[in-house]
Amino acid sequence: MNEGDRRIRSVLVVGGGSAGWMSAAMLATMLKRDCTVTLVESDAIGIVGVGEATIPPIRLFNETLGISEADFIRETRGTFKLGIEFVDWGQVGTRYFHPFGPHGRNFDMVPLHQYWLKTREEPGAFPLEDLSMAWQIARAGRMARPVPDQRSLLSTFDYAYHFDASLYAAFLRRHAEARGVTRVEGKIDDVTLNGETGFVESVTLEGGQKLEADLFIDCSGLRALLIEGALQTGFEDWSHWLPCDRAVAMPCASAGAPTPYTRSTAREAGWQWRIPLQHRIGNGYVYSSQFLEDDKAASLLASRLDGEALGDPRFVRFRTGRRKQHWNRNVIAVGLSSGFLEPLESTSIHLIQANISKLIGLFPDRDFDPATIAEFNRIAHAETDRIRDFLILHYKLTQRQDHELWRYVSAMDVPDTLALKMDHFRRHGRLIAREMDLFAPPSWLAVHIGQHNYPEGLDPLIEHRGIDARDYLAKLRAAMAAEAAKLPSHEAYIAGLTGTAAAA
């Protein structure tokens, strides 16, 4: 080897599942010359595999890999997702929708929601979500792709997917292996560090096989074998803000046509997810072990399924927070090894994608420039911190006082970065965007308004404009409903895309 050539020659992905195979597939796509990509996993080690809902950036990831949407939906038994319906979060008996896309379309110098706020208590007032194209389509059980014509209301929404995580991992494995990725079966027994640099040199499997690499991707899940087990990177604990530390998952049989949205229902000591796929419904209960025992959580979940249970309950224990470094020496943590944020806003798959994308954008050579590593960690920390704040907002804004968890979170202090955003909205209904905000202002608006956190005043500019928007808002709402009614049903859309028969 030419000593002046410092290119990475070998990458070892430790762990499979969605994180491992997403990493391997992207690396195989981007590293086309003189670099081997190997993935080691054990069939004896199960994957968490409960994260089946996504947010819109997953589409770009699949497109970058050259995966067609039709193949993806067919192979993963996927459905479409236009947003999340939140039930009983603000108060018991209330619900709201967090859409993918904006509310309405701005027609003036002032954001549209300011005009809605001005008219919300007048005769004929209607919910803010009625001005969301995504909600109008979702509520009608329909689906279509957004159109490119910006003049059309059908350009004002976005979408993501629900899919079977184990089928997605298998699909990506086939994709990656076809592009040269080598899979090695086995459990890791030992990790060898360089005595001088502290870098990982190799991993040794239980049978004695040694696997060396220049760069290691830790996709070993909550065990974090390399980033924590070998390198002792450290962990920043956020459980005082996000106290749920358990999840129990239990799929059930389908019950009618799959809805084109996820549902999150606030429960006694946490919340329940409902994710409709083509062949079943994914269900789970995320809860705090301080306030609910495991057996009781499983019993409550089983009693609230829409159809017959298709398996025994599967429990996951976790601690919310992140590694103090996502990239340490020559190891990059991807997925649950980098930390855990409960899947309230379907960010688990996205955080896998985000770290893979950052790696591609800041790909190292064998010198592992500290400035490159520092920039990766700065961006990764900022993104996870912003997501953390958005999740905390859901809990902080609850008005529920019927269970101990809700009393605790509604009274707790929040991070300064979140307090600043909440203060701006409280004063004038303003939505402040920060660097690396994954969720844009419309998402924050949906939670504020959905949980009845109305501002004390409006943007002062609105009174200077002197515009009566009531007629415009009413016509916009009607036009959105009319457009949604023209679209095919969700089931028919899937059938047309995949070439399968629609359900009767």
Side-chain angles (χ1 to χ4, degrees):
M1 181 187 299
N2 180 1
E3 285 301 319
D5 183 355
R6 304 298 295 165
R7 282 180 294 169
I8 296 288
R9 296 291 187 171
S10 56
V11 182
L12 181 65
V13 181
V14 175
S18 297
W21 286 110
M22 286 175 73
S23 299
M26 184 59 75
L27 288 167
T29 298
M30 303 304 293
L31 304 176
K32 294 186 176 180
R33 288 188 58 218
D34 305 325
C35 183
T36 63
V37 179
T38 304
L39 183 145
V40 58
E41 67 175 340
S42 171
D43 287 334
I45 299 176
I47 61 173
V48 173
V50 298
E52 298 171 323
T54 58
I55 58 177
I58 187 67
R59 290 163 45 207
L60 176 60
F61 184 86
N62 284 350
E63 289 168 8
T64 302
L65 293 181
I67 295 171
S68 79
E69 188 167 80
D71 288 344
F72 167 74
I73 292 293
R74 184 185 307 111
E75 294 293 326
T76 66
R77 306 301 298 273
T79 59
F80 290 88
K81 175 182 174 181
L82 294 162
I84 305 175
E85 182 183 42
F86 287 91
V87 179
D88 294 342
W89 274 85
Q91 298 173 342
V92 174
T94 64
R95 60 182 62 214
Y96 68 94
F97 193 71
H98 169 198
F100 292 150
H103 296 86
R105 167 179 284 154
N106 290 345
F107 71 102
D108 186 40
M109 299 297 291
V110 179
L112 187 75
H113 74 271
Q114 295 279 348
Y115 287 109
W116 177 87
L117 285 167
K118 189 175 182 179
T119 63
R120 69 179 181 87
E121 294 183 340
E122 296 180 358
F126 49 82
L128 175 66
E129 59 202 28
D130 282 8
L131 296 174
S132 162
M133 194 69 243
W135 172 238
Q136 293 282 9
I137 298 171
R139 177 169 59 183
R142 300 179 183 274
M143 181 58 203
R145 284 196 184 97
V147 302
D149 185 353
Q150 296 299 303
R151 296 170 297 180
S152 171
L153 289 173
L154 292 177
S155 71
T156 63
F157 71 97
D158 208 345
Y159 69 92
Y161 310 109
H162 306 119
F163 55 79
D164 186 312
S166 60
L167 292 180
Y168 186 47
F171 177 62
L172 289 178
R173 174 182 173 180
R174 295 191 294 273
H175 183 91
E177 289 181 326
R179 286 153 183 79
V181 173
T182 299
R183 179 190 181 274
V184 176
E185 165 67 29
K187 286 185 180 180
I188 292 175
D189 183 57
D190 190 37
V191 180
T192 301
L193 303 183
N194 183 287
E196 294 182 3
T197 65
F199 280 38
V200 174
E201 287 188 340
S202 64
V203 300
T204 303
L205 306 186
E206 285 184 344
Q209 182 180 3
K210 181 176 287 188
L211 301 173
E212 299 178 339
D214 296 327
L215 174 65
F216 292 80
I217 312 299
D218 188 345
C219 301
S220 61
L222 295 171
R223 292 167 294 153
L225 291 177
L226 302 186
I227 197 74
E228 195 62 49
L231 298 184
Q232 299 293 301
T233 300
F235 188 81
E236 186 171 312
D237 192 324
W238 292 339
S239 58
H240 52 294
W241 289 316
L242 296 166
C244 290
D245 59 355
R246 298 282 193 279
V248 55
M250 187 184 300
C252 73
S254 297
T259 57
Y261 56 89
T262 307
R263 179 177 297 135
S264 167
T265 304
R267 297 299 192 186
E268 300 86 352
W271 57 277
Q272 180 178 333
W273 77 72
R274 181 186 185 277
I275 300 173
L277 306 178
Q278 292 183 44
H279 58 307
R280 61 174 171 81
I281 299 172
N283 307 280
Y285 190 171
V286 176
Y287 59 97
S288 170
S289 62
Q290 298 178 64
F291 309 123
L292 189 65
E293 295 179 351
D294 292 348
D295 289 347
K296 181 64 173 177
S299 175
L300 287 169
L301 177 62
S303 71
R304 293 161 173 166
L305 301 180
D306 290 347
E308 180 184 357
L310 299 179
D312 294 328
R314 295 176 53 214
F315 291 92
V316 179
R317 296 188 175 194
F318 55 84
R319 182 171 49 138
T320 52
R322 59 163 168 77
R323 301 292 159 202
K324 291 183 178 179
Q325 297 179 77
H326 293 244
W327 182 344
N328 187 358
R329 300 171 195 168
N330 64 334
V331 173
I332 297 173
V334 174
L336 298 179
S337 62
S338 69
F340 188 91
L341 288 169
E342 61 183 75
L344 181 58
E345 283 284 355
S346 309
T347 53
S348 299
I349 295 288
H350 174 78
L351 286 172
I352 295 170
Q353 175 184 346
N355 272 10
I356 297 170
S357 299
K358 284 189 281 290
L359 169 59
I360 298 302
L362 293 166
F363 199 78
D365 58 19
R366 285 184 289 124
D367 292 325
F368 289 94
D369 180 5
T372 297
I373 296 174
E375 179 64 7
F376 183 103
N377 283 323
R378 184 190 70 82
I379 297 171
H381 289 175
E383 182 167 32
T384 51
D385 290 359
R386 299 293 180 264
I387 296 171
R388 172 204 67 193
D389 287 356
F390 188 53
L391 299 185
I392 294 171
L393 181 72
H394 296 64
Y395 287 101
K396 180 63 178 176
L397 292 185
T398 187
Q399 298 172 34
R400 294 182 57 162
Q401 297 293 304
D402 55 323
H403 292 282
E404 193 171 354
L405 172 71
W406 301 111
R407 291 191 290 272
Y408 169 78
V409 295
S410 63
M412 68 182 173
D413 292 331
V414 300
D416 291 343
T417 47
L418 173 56
L420 174 68
K421 284 192 168 189
M422 293 180 68
D423 187 52
H424 275 282
F425 191 80
R426 177 181 60 80
R427 292 172 183 269
H428 298 293
R430 288 180 175 142
L431 299 157
I432 305 300
R434 305 293 295 274
E435 181 194 25
M436 297 306 299
D437 264 338
L438 173 62
F439 292 99
S443 297
W444 288 76
L445 178 65
V447 178
H448 278 295
I449 299 302
Q451 296 187 206
H452 305 108
N453 183 43
Y454 301 115
E456 297 170 355
L458 301 178
D459 188 327
L461 184 60
I462 197 170
E463 297 302 336
H464 291 276
R465 300 296 295 167
I467 295 174
D468 185 345
R470 287 173 294 185
D471 186 55
Y472 174 82
L473 295 179
K475 289 181 177 178
L476 181 61
R477 177 199 191 198
M480 286 183 166
E483 290 291 344
K486 300 174 185 176
L487 302 179
S489 73
H490 185 205
E491 280 188 302
Y493 184 78
I494 291 171
L497 179 69
T498 60
T500 57

